[in-house]
């Protein structure tokens, strides 16, 4: 098969990628919110 992997391994890889996408989106949103809060905190700390 393709790159020496059997067809069922490709299904497993595709399933893992499909499952990882929602977690990646959730992490990106959390990270963005965290950075925004940090920036706001720094702004108020020094009297901005």
């Amino acid at each position: 098969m393709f790159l020496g992997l059997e067809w069922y391994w490709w299904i497993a890889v595709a399933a893992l990628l499909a499952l990882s996408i929602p977690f990646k989106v959730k992490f990106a949103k959390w990270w963005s919110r965290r950075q925004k809060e940090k920036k706001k905190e720094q702004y108020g700390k020094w009297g901005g």
Side-chain angles (χ1 to χ4, degrees), residues 11-28:
I11 291 175
V13 168
L16 284 173
L17 284 173
L19 289 173
S20 72
I21 290 171
F23 290 110
K24 198 182 285 190
V25 169
K26 192 171 185 175
F27 175 79

Side-chain angles (χ1 to χ4, degrees), residues 17 20 27 31 33-35 40-41 45-47:
L17 284 173
S20 72
F27 175 79
W31 186 259
R33 197 177 323 118
R34 181 174 176 264
Q35 292 295 351
K40 193 187 329 176
E41 189 178 291
K45 190 183 287 182
W46 302 105

